[in-house]
Amino acid sequence: MGLLALTSPLAPVVAAVEGLRLQHPDLVRCVAPGVMTAGGDGWRPGTNRCAVAVLLVAGWTRARRVPLPADGELFLNRAGQLGIRRARVAVLVDDPVAGAPGVVVAATREELFSIVLEHAVDAGPELQATMRRLTRAKAAA
């Protein structure tokens, strides 16, 4: 995992996804290892609905930090796995990164969940299936 992922407000989301990869690799096979990328050779602009669903659900259920990927910041590798160059995050008001540049602050868990649902449109029907599978995986852990 690169330094960017460790110092980014996305770090807890990356950790959540990589933790899931160890326990349930089939759930996160659509997300590039380490999640973060600089783009470049072997990457092309694009998105993967399964991966967006994984990031939203893992961010919400395991880190309470919701990634807000933007067009132009999402890339696919040759295997079709999603990597993020940069993304804003939404967090609760008591999160240590609340107030940092590019961070969206939600006053309540309900407001944060509304942000998840707002961005879930891009995930399409994969979101419901991924949410069910990740919820079961979390309950089994």
Side-chain angles (χ1 to χ4, degrees), residues 62-134:
R62 296 176 181 251
R64 290 296 188 256
R65 286 193 187 179
V66 179
L68 307 173
D71 289 336
E73 302 297 338
L74 302 175
F75 296 88
L76 298 173
N77 63 18
R78 288 183 178 101
Q81 296 171 309
L82 183 84
I84 298 176
R85 179 170 48 195
R86 187 178 20 241
R88 296 179 314 135
V89 295
V91 302
L92 290 170
V93 70
D94 61 349
D95 189 291
V97 299
V103 174
V104 176
V105 179
T108 65
R109 289 171 52 115
E110 292 76 21
E111 186 179 333
L112 186 60
F113 190 64
S114 292
I115 293 169
V116 171
L117 295 177
E118 226 174 88
H119 287 80
V121 172
D122 294 336
E126 287 84 355
L127 183 66
Q128 277 189 335
T130 302
M131 188 170 281
R132 279 193 299 274
R133 291 176 72 198
L134 286 174

